[in-house]
mmCIF file of all heavy atoms in Angstrom:
data_model
loop_
_atom_site.group_PDB
_atom_site.id
_atom_site.type_symbol
_atom_site.label_atom_id
_atom_site.label_comp_id
_atom_site.label_asym_id
_atom_site.label_seq_id
_atom_site.Cartn_x
_atom_site.Cartn_y
_atom_site.Cartn_z
ATOM 1 N N LEU A 1 65.908 173.703 63.259
ATOM 2 C CA LEU A 1 65.886 174.431 62.126
ATOM 3 C C LEU A 1 66.507 175.790 62.342
ATOM 4 O O LEU A 1 66.193 176.487 63.205
ATOM 5 C CB LEU A 1 64.419 174.545 61.680
ATOM 6 C CG LEU A 1 63.614 173.337 61.346
ATOM 7 C CD1 LEU A 1 62.143 173.698 61.064
ATOM 8 C CD2 LEU A 1 64.284 172.626 60.058
ATOM 9 N N ALA A 2 67.310 176.169 61.330
ATOM 10 C CA ALA A 2 67.887 177.560 61.402
ATOM 11 C C ALA A 2 66.768 178.528 61.112
ATOM 12 O O ALA A 2 66.860 179.691 61.544
ATOM 13 C CB ALA A 2 69.024 177.714 60.365
ATOM 14 N N GLY A 3 65.762 178.103 60.449
ATOM 15 C CA GLY A 3 64.615 178.972 60.064
ATOM 16 C C GLY A 3 63.330 178.076 59.895
ATOM 17 O O GLY A 3 63.492 176.809 59.973
ATOM 18 N N PRO A 4 62.212 178.627 59.581
ATOM 19 C CA PRO A 4 61.013 177.820 59.465
ATOM 20 C C PRO A 4 60.993 176.956 58.168
ATOM 21 O O PRO A 4 60.159 176.060 58.012
ATOM 22 C CB PRO A 4 59.932 178.822 59.388
ATOM 23 C CG PRO A 4 60.561 180.044 58.955
ATOM 24 C CD PRO A 4 62.003 179.976 59.487
ATOM 25 N N GLY A 5 61.898 177.138 57.165
ATOM 26 C CA GLY A 5 61.989 176.312 56.001
ATOM 27 C C GLY A 5 62.485 174.938 56.285
ATOM 28 O O GLY A 5 62.958 174.649 57.405
ATOM 29 N N HIS A 6 62.637 174.191 55.258
ATOM 30 C CA HIS A 6 63.206 172.741 55.238
ATOM 31 C C HIS A 6 62.322 171.803 56.127
ATOM 32 O O HIS A 6 62.729 170.701 56.376
ATOM 33 C CB HIS A 6 64.645 172.794 55.922
ATOM 34 C CG HIS A 6 65.671 173.048 54.903
ATOM 35 N ND1 HIS A 6 66.820 172.306 54.871
ATOM 36 C CD2 HIS A 6 65.772 173.886 53.878
ATOM 37 C CE1 HIS A 6 67.636 172.684 53.821
ATOM 38 N NE2 HIS A 6 66.951 173.783 53.254
ATOM 39 N N ALA A 7 61.096 172.164 56.452
ATOM 40 C CA ALA A 7 60.212 171.253 57.081
ATOM 41 C C ALA A 7 58.744 171.545 56.742
ATOM 42 O O ALA A 7 58.359 172.710 56.458
ATOM 43 C CB ALA A 7 60.301 171.439 58.666
ATOM 44 N N VAL A 8 57.947 170.440 56.700
ATOM 45 C CA VAL A 8 56.538 170.598 56.326
ATOM 46 C C VAL A 8 55.682 169.464 57.012
ATOM 47 O O VAL A 8 56.384 168.374 57.138
ATOM 48 C CB VAL A 8 56.308 170.698 54.835
ATOM 49 C CG1 VAL A 8 56.606 169.366 54.189
ATOM 50 C CG2 VAL A 8 54.851 171.101 54.511
ATOM 51 N N TRP A 9 54.536 169.751 57.338
ATOM 52 C CA TRP A 9 53.720 168.718 57.959
ATOM 53 C C TRP A 9 52.478 168.429 57.045
ATOM 54 O O TRP A 9 51.837 169.408 56.613
ATOM 55 C CB TRP A 9 53.225 169.079 59.376
ATOM 56 C CG TRP A 9 54.370 168.733 60.382
ATOM 57 C CD1 TRP A 9 54.509 167.684 61.117
ATOM 58 C CD2 TRP A 9 55.584 169.524 60.530
ATOM 59 N NE1 TRP A 9 55.717 167.759 61.776
ATOM 60 C CE2 TRP A 9 56.359 168.920 61.443
ATOM 61 C CE3 TRP A 9 56.092 170.782 60.026
ATOM 62 C CZ2 TRP A 9 57.595 169.322 61.916
ATOM 63 C CZ3 TRP A 9 57.282 171.210 60.466
ATOM 64 C CH2 TRP A 9 58.091 170.559 61.397
ATOM 65 N N LEU A 10 52.147 167.195 56.879
ATOM 66 C CA LEU A 10 50.930 166.814 56.039
ATOM 67 C C LEU A 10 49.836 166.389 56.950
ATOM 68 O O LEU A 10 49.988 165.522 57.848
ATOM 69 C CB LEU A 10 51.332 165.678 55.151
ATOM 70 C CG LEU A 10 52.564 165.902 54.262
ATOM 71 C CD1 LEU A 10 52.777 164.615 53.302
ATOM 72 C CD2 LEU A 10 52.655 167.159 53.466
ATOM 73 N N LEU A 11 48.687 167.011 56.803
ATOM 74 C CA LEU A 11 47.568 166.855 57.781
ATOM 75 C C LEU A 11 46.402 166.230 57.079
ATOM 76 O O LEU A 11 45.620 166.878 56.344
ATOM 77 C CB LEU A 11 47.157 168.201 58.350
ATOM 78 C CG LEU A 11 48.323 169.053 58.904
ATOM 79 C CD1 LEU A 11 47.839 170.413 59.404
ATOM 80 C CD2 LEU A 11 49.024 168.341 60.114
ATOM 81 N N PRO A 12 46.252 164.966 57.108
ATOM 82 C CA PRO A 12 45.138 164.213 56.418
ATOM 83 C C PRO A 12 43.776 164.409 57.074
ATOM 84 O O PRO A 12 43.734 164.393 58.274
ATOM 85 C CB PRO A 12 45.562 162.798 56.469
ATOM 86 C CG PRO A 12 46.333 162.660 57.745
ATOM 87 C CD PRO A 12 47.026 163.911 57.930
ATOM 88 N N THR A 13 42.722 164.458 56.274
ATOM 89 C CA THR A 13 41.390 164.453 56.859
ATOM 90 C C THR A 13 41.069 162.995 57.208
ATOM 91 O O THR A 13 41.784 162.074 56.724
ATOM 92 C CB THR A 13 40.366 164.855 55.704
ATOM 93 O OG1 THR A 13 40.395 163.980 54.666
ATOM 94 C CG2 THR A 13 40.650 166.335 55.275
ATOM 95 N N PRO A 14 40.134 162.747 58.041
ATOM 96 C CA PRO A 14 39.816 161.357 58.430
ATOM 97 C C PRO A 14 39.439 160.552 57.228
ATOM 98 O O PRO A 14 39.745 159.367 57.123
ATOM 99 C CB PRO A 14 38.653 161.549 59.347
ATOM 100 C CG PRO A 14 38.813 162.916 60.065
ATOM 101 C CD PRO A 14 39.376 163.786 58.962
ATOM 102 N N GLY A 15 38.669 161.152 56.227
ATOM 103 C CA GLY A 15 38.367 160.451 55.082
ATOM 104 C C GLY A 15 39.522 160.005 54.217
ATOM 105 O O GLY A 15 39.626 158.873 53.692
ATOM 106 N N PHE A 16 40.543 160.850 54.111
ATOM 107 C CA PHE A 16 41.764 160.583 53.342
ATOM 108 C C PHE A 16 42.484 159.493 53.998
ATOM 109 O O PHE A 16 43.062 158.523 53.434
ATOM 110 C CB PHE A 16 42.618 161.819 53.209
ATOM 111 C CG PHE A 16 43.859 161.550 52.358
ATOM 112 C CD1 PHE A 16 43.809 161.797 50.935
ATOM 113 C CD2 PHE A 16 45.044 161.111 52.896
ATOM 114 C CE1 PHE A 16 44.894 161.521 50.209
ATOM 115 C CE2 PHE A 16 46.128 160.857 52.132
ATOM 116 C CZ PHE A 16 46.089 161.102 50.794
ATOM 117 N N ARG A 17 42.623 159.589 55.389
ATOM 118 C CA ARG A 17 43.381 158.600 56.123
ATOM 119 C C ARG A 17 42.746 157.167 55.976
ATOM 120 O O ARG A 17 43.503 156.203 55.758
ATOM 121 C CB ARG A 17 43.398 158.944 57.626
ATOM 122 C CG ARG A 17 44.289 158.056 58.461
ATOM 123 C CD ARG A 17 44.206 158.407 59.936
ATOM 124 N NE ARG A 17 44.424 159.766 60.176
ATOM 125 C CZ ARG A 17 43.635 160.661 60.603
ATOM 126 N NH1 ARG A 17 42.259 160.319 60.707
ATOM 127 N NH2 ARG A 17 43.973 161.951 60.743
ATOM 128 N N ARG A 18 41.515 157.083 56.099
ATOM 129 C CA ARG A 18 40.840 155.777 56.010
ATOM 130 C C ARG A 18 40.886 155.249 54.520
ATOM 131 O O ARG A 18 41.248 154.098 54.343
ATOM 132 C CB ARG A 18 39.272 155.788 56.367
ATOM 133 C CG ARG A 18 38.651 154.541 56.297
ATOM 134 C CD ARG A 18 37.439 154.465 57.142
ATOM 135 N NE ARG A 18 36.992 153.017 57.211
ATOM 136 C CZ ARG A 18 36.346 152.498 58.204
ATOM 137 N NH1 ARG A 18 36.168 153.110 59.380
ATOM 138 N NH2 ARG A 18 35.961 151.196 58.171
ATOM 139 N N ALA A 19 40.817 156.091 53.593
ATOM 140 C CA ALA A 19 40.924 155.737 52.184
ATOM 141 C C ALA A 19 42.394 155.183 51.899
ATOM 142 O O ALA A 19 42.655 154.191 51.191
ATOM 143 C CB ALA A 19 40.566 156.849 51.202
ATOM 144 N N ALA A 20 43.335 155.860 52.559
ATOM 145 C CA ALA A 20 44.716 155.473 52.311
ATOM 146 C C ALA A 20 45.036 154.056 52.938
ATOM 147 O O ALA A 20 45.683 153.228 52.275
ATOM 148 C CB ALA A 20 45.690 156.532 52.942
ATOM 149 N N PHE A 21 44.497 153.976 54.041
ATOM 150 C CA PHE A 21 44.699 152.533 54.757
ATOM 151 C C PHE A 21 43.992 151.472 53.994
ATOM 152 O O PHE A 21 44.537 150.351 53.803
ATOM 153 C CB PHE A 21 44.235 152.503 56.215
ATOM 154 C CG PHE A 21 44.992 153.411 57.099
ATOM 155 C CD1 PHE A 21 44.473 153.991 58.245
ATOM 156 C CD2 PHE A 21 46.363 153.621 56.855
ATOM 157 C CE1 PHE A 21 45.161 154.700 59.136
ATOM 158 C CE2 PHE A 21 47.139 154.371 57.764
ATOM 159 C CZ PHE A 21 46.454 155.043 58.846
ATOM 160 N N ASP A 22 42.768 151.786 53.430
ATOM 161 C CA ASP A 22 42.073 150.840 52.674
ATOM 162 C C ASP A 22 42.828 150.408 51.369
ATOM 163 O O ASP A 22 42.950 149.301 50.973
ATOM 164 C CB ASP A 22 40.693 151.407 52.231
ATOM 165 C CG ASP A 22 39.588 151.035 53.206
ATOM 166 O OD1 ASP A 22 39.650 149.912 53.793
ATOM 167 O OD2 ASP A 22 38.626 151.803 53.297
ATOM 168 N N SER A 23 43.386 151.505 50.687
ATOM 169 C CA SER A 23 44.069 151.239 49.483
ATOM 170 C C SER A 23 45.350 150.425 49.740
ATOM 171 O O SER A 23 45.813 149.662 48.764
ATOM 172 C CB SER A 23 44.502 152.609 48.839
ATOM 173 O OG SER A 23 45.450 153.258 49.531
ATOM 174 N N ARG A 24 45.978 150.512 50.838
ATOM 175 C CA ARG A 24 47.189 149.766 51.190
ATOM 176 C C ARG A 24 46.834 148.341 51.677
ATOM 177 O O ARG A 24 47.726 147.500 51.892
ATOM 178 C CB ARG A 24 48.057 150.488 52.322
ATOM 179 C CG ARG A 24 48.438 151.829 52.010
ATOM 180 C CD ARG A 24 49.055 152.452 53.182
ATOM 181 N NE ARG A 24 49.373 153.884 53.028
ATOM 182 C CZ ARG A 24 49.781 154.721 54.017
ATOM 183 N NH1 ARG A 24 49.844 154.269 55.243
ATOM 184 N NH2 ARG A 24 50.000 155.969 53.803
ATOM 185 N N GLY A 25 45.550 148.085 52.075
ATOM 186 C CA GLY A 25 45.222 146.836 52.619
ATOM 187 C C GLY A 25 45.601 146.678 54.073
ATOM 188 O O GLY A 25 45.667 145.635 54.568
ATOM 189 N N SER A 26 45.810 147.839 54.702
ATOM 190 C CA SER A 26 46.373 147.797 56.043
ATOM 191 C C SER A 26 45.319 148.334 57.098
ATOM 192 O O SER A 26 45.697 148.436 58.257
ATOM 193 C CB SER A 26 47.610 148.622 56.205
ATOM 194 O OG SER A 26 47.372 149.991 55.886
ATOM 195 N N LEU A 27 44.015 148.519 56.694
ATOM 196 C CA LEU A 27 43.131 149.124 57.629
ATOM 197 C C LEU A 27 42.841 148.261 58.852
ATOM 198 O O LEU A 27 42.774 148.801 59.953
ATOM 199 C CB LEU A 27 41.679 149.295 56.909
ATOM 200 C CG LEU A 27 40.594 150.033 57.653
ATOM 201 C CD1 LEU A 27 41.067 151.467 58.016
ATOM 202 C CD2 LEU A 27 39.321 149.994 56.837
ATOM 203 N N TRP A 28 42.827 146.939 58.622
ATOM 204 C CA TRP A 28 42.584 146.144 59.772
ATOM 205 C C TRP A 28 43.823 145.370 60.226
ATOM 206 O O TRP A 28 43.792 144.398 61.060
ATOM 207 C CB TRP A 28 41.478 144.948 59.397
ATOM 208 C CG TRP A 28 40.279 145.625 59.035
ATOM 209 C CD1 TRP A 28 39.765 145.958 57.789
ATOM 210 C CD2 TRP A 28 39.227 145.933 59.964
ATOM 211 N NE1 TRP A 28 38.538 146.505 57.869
ATOM 212 C CE2 TRP A 28 38.113 146.550 59.213
ATOM 213 C CE3 TRP A 28 39.031 145.831 61.319
ATOM 214 C CZ2 TRP A 28 36.935 147.018 59.786
ATOM 215 C CZ3 TRP A 28 37.870 146.271 61.914
ATOM 216 C CH2 TRP A 28 36.858 146.838 61.148
#
C-alpha cells in the first residue's frame, strides 16, 4: 500500500462467525 487506505479487515465475533456458517449450511 502506498498509504493505509485501500484496505480494510473485517473482524467477526465468535457468535457472528457461527451464525454465518449456520446460515450457509457449512458449519459441519
Side-chain angles (χ1 to χ4, degrees):
L1 300 173
H6 274 224
V8 66
W9 279 262
L10 310 184
L11 309 177
T13 64
F16 184 92
R17 184 185 305 110
R18 181 156 188 149
F21 291 153
D22 266 331
S23 69
R24 299 173 189 171
S26 60
L27 184 63
W28 297 95

